[in-house]
Amino acid sequence: MGGRRPALARAALRGAAAGLLGTAAMTVGELVEQRVTGRPDSHIPARTLRILCGRPTSNTAHYPVWNHAMHWLTGATLGALRGVWSVTGIRGAPATAAHTVVRLAFDQTLENATGAGAAPSLWPFGEKVVDNLHKAVFATVTGLASDALNRPDLTSTAGARSH
């Protein structure tokens, strides 16, 4: 594994950059969608991060800097994961589909574990659709960038069969 660590670290850094690109694309998409639909900003990411950092929070206060910090840190973190996937051969559309689910699950896990957000089962159908689409944009752009930046140099054939 020692020889793989530097390549994995480089792939994670490239993936983090790809995740920032994916976050930028998702942000633009959200801004356009909000102008069309009139949907207000969500402040749950900010409250989630404040709770994780042990800071006081309020359901009525808006914390725009915290919101952006959570948004971009999550994108970079999950982009790093995608970078590792890309270099190890987990690539293309199947990886993008899985990454969309990971992004949704990551957000929901933190938001629900901290008590900052409600479970998606309680959301109106339209809000679930919008959230899924925005996360799919993130995963698609992040995946395209990560796969372009990280050749599958660490693809292994060990364990190619289930037994």
Side-chain angles (χ1 to χ4, degrees):
M1 171 94 177
R4 294 172 70 90
R5 285 187 182 140
L8 289 168
R10 283 190 302 275
L13 285 173
R14 290 184 195 124
L20 293 174
L21 186 62
T23 301
M26 181 175 69
T27 301
V28 169
E30 287 170 336
L31 291 172
V32 169
E33 173 265 319
Q34 286 177 306
R35 289 206 177 148
V36 170
T37 65
R39 183 178 63 85
D41 286 340
S42 170
H43 298 283
I44 292 171
R47 290 195 293 271
T48 301
L49 183 56
R50 288 180 65 85
I51 292 167
L52 289 170
C53 292
R55 301 292 305 262
T57 189
S58 161
N59 286 339
T60 57
H62 298 170
Y63 308 98
V65 172
W66 288 82
N67 226 34
H68 279 285
M70 185 64 166
H71 192 66
W72 294 93
L73 287 169
T74 299
T77 300
L78 296 180
L81 173 66
R82 188 62 171 84
V84 171
W85 287 6
S86 294
V87 78
T88 58
I90 304 169
R91 303 170 64 84
T96 296
H99 201 227
T100 301
V101 173
V102 167
R103 176 62 202 247
L104 288 161
F106 183 85
D107 288 356
Q108 287 308 306
T109 299
L110 292 180
E111 291 169 8
N112 288 279
T114 60
S121 61
L122 301 175
W123 298 6
F125 177 77
E127 288 188 26
K128 286 187 245 189
V129 170
V130 166
D131 194 47
N132 287 339
L133 288 173
H134 289 310
K135 298 314 190 297
V137 167
F138 165 79
T140 299
V141 172
T142 300
L144 289 170
S146 182
D147 286 353
L149 293 170
N150 294 295
R151 294 186 336 202
D153 293 335
L154 299 182
T155 301
S156 174
T157 57
R161 298 189 52 92
S162 63
H163 49 284

